[in-house]
């Protein structure tokens, strides 16, 4: 059995702009307390703490000799970006995530998205674009780069199932694909699930794709490969 932590992003359009405005600007990028004061790193920390709490809760009921329980992370869109950032930055001494399942991960390749406003037309991207236009200087854009899921994905060591879409106006495909492409260190342990549409309902010929992805989520992960014993010296 594998226990799952779900990373969920809650959209609050009434207060989103004021929340981003308060928390996105770094006054001094050389001070870690300023960089980590933004609400997004705090949300990543919440995911890591949820994984640790689940680990300790299971371990307290299973006994000391049962070993570490397998913990997985699942998130889609906003939650997918959070899951990647949390898996990359959570030290294994705190909690080890054995598997990731992410769909349409956001927070990827901010420089590409910022280069063309049409790439940030909907969702959290639209809110951030409106905020960036109201601020002076490059501090806010630099803060976004600190929380770029495509940058941190190289530190994700757990096998990952990732859903990507050919068409998506909320999380454009060229921003989500770099997150999957950057996963490391073993590309063979990651798998990609392709869907025709992202944040919109699929056309009738592809209506089964969401159900197929849900079935993949429910399936147990493949067991890790056993290391091949070294050949004897002649």
């Amino acid at each position: 059995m594998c226990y799952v932590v779900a990373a969920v992003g809650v959209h609050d359009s009434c207060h989103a702009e004021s929340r981003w405005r308060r928390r996105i600007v770094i006054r001094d990028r050389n001070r870690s307390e300023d960089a980590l004061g933004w609400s997004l790193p705090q949300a990543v920390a919440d995911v890591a703490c949820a994984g640790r709490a689940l680990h300790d809760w299971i371990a307290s009921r299973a006994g000391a000799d049962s070993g570490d329980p397998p913990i997985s992370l699942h998130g889609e869109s906003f939650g997918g970006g959070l899951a990647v950032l949390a898996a990359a930055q959570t030290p294994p001494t705190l909690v080890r995530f054995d598997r990731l399942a992410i769909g349409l991960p956001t927070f990827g390749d901010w420089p590409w998205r910022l280069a063309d406003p049409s790439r940030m037309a909907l969702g959290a991207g639209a809110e951030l674009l409106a905020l960036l236009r109201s601020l002076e200087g490059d501090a806010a854009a630099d803060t976004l780069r600190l929380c770029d899921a495509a940058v941190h994905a190289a530190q994700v060591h757990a096998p990952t199932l990732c859903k990507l879409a050919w068409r998506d106006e909320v999380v454009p495909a060229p921003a989500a694909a770099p997150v999957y492409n950057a996963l490391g260190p073993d590309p063979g342990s990651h798998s990609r699930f392709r869907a025709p549409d992202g944040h919109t309902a699929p056309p009738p010929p592809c209506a089964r794709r969401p159900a197929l992805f849900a079935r993949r989520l429910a399936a147990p992960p493949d067991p890790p490969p056993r290391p091949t014993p070294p050949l004897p010296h002649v």
Side-chain angles (χ1 to χ4, degrees):
M1 178 180 293
C2 190
Y3 301 89
V4 179
V5 175
V8 181
V10 179
H11 178 74
D12 185 354
S13 59
C14 295
H15 304 286
E17 183 176 349
S18 61
R19 182 173 65 251
W20 291 112
R21 185 183 300 276
R22 287 198 309 270
R23 309 301 291 181
I24 195 174
V25 179
I26 296 178
R27 295 184 298 275
D28 184 352
R29 278 166 284 179
N30 295 319
R31 293 178 52 186
S32 59
E33 60 267 28
D34 283 352
L36 297 178
W38 185 28
S39 55
L40 182 54
Q42 293 176 1
V44 173
D46 288 342
V47 175
C49 290
R52 179 63 183 179
L54 178 60
H55 173 278
D56 291 349
W57 181 83
I58 298 169
S60 67
R61 284 154 178 77
D65 300 330
S66 61
D68 287 335
I71 305 293
S72 294
L73 268 177
H74 170 224
E76 301 200 28
S77 191
F78 196 101
L82 288 181
V84 171
L85 293 168
Q89 294 301 318
T90 302
T93 53
L94 179 68
V95 62
R96 187 187 68 187
F97 295 111
D98 298 275
R99 185 195 187 197
L100 264 70
I102 56 177
L104 315 172
T106 190
F107 306 132
D109 204 349
W110 284 116
W112 178 84
R113 297 191 70 178
L114 291 171
D116 186 346
S118 66
R119 301 166 183 169
M120 301 181 65
L122 298 172
E127 296 171 352
L128 284 170
L129 181 61
L131 172 59
L132 291 173
R133 286 172 170 171
S134 68
L135 299 175
E136 296 180 359
D138 299 326
D142 291 341
T143 308
L144 285 179
R145 192 60 174 162
L146 289 174
C147 294
D148 195 318
V151 173
H152 293 277
Q155 302 301 318
V156 175
H157 298 277
T160 302
L161 169 65
C162 179
K163 179 174 69 174
L164 298 174
W166 288 304
R167 297 179 296 273
D168 194 339
E169 294 182 353
V170 178
V171 183
V179 178
Y180 173 79
N181 292 336
L183 292 171
D186 181 9
S189 65
H190 312 305
S191 58
R192 178 181 58 186
F193 183 94
R194 289 179 291 185
D197 294 274
H199 286 73
T200 57
C206 303
R208 295 185 60 206
R209 298 297 290 173
L212 291 175
F213 183 69
R215 185 180 300 176
R216 288 283 301 273
L217 292 178
D222 296 331
R226 296 182 179 181
T228 303
L231 294 174
H233 293 286
V234 178

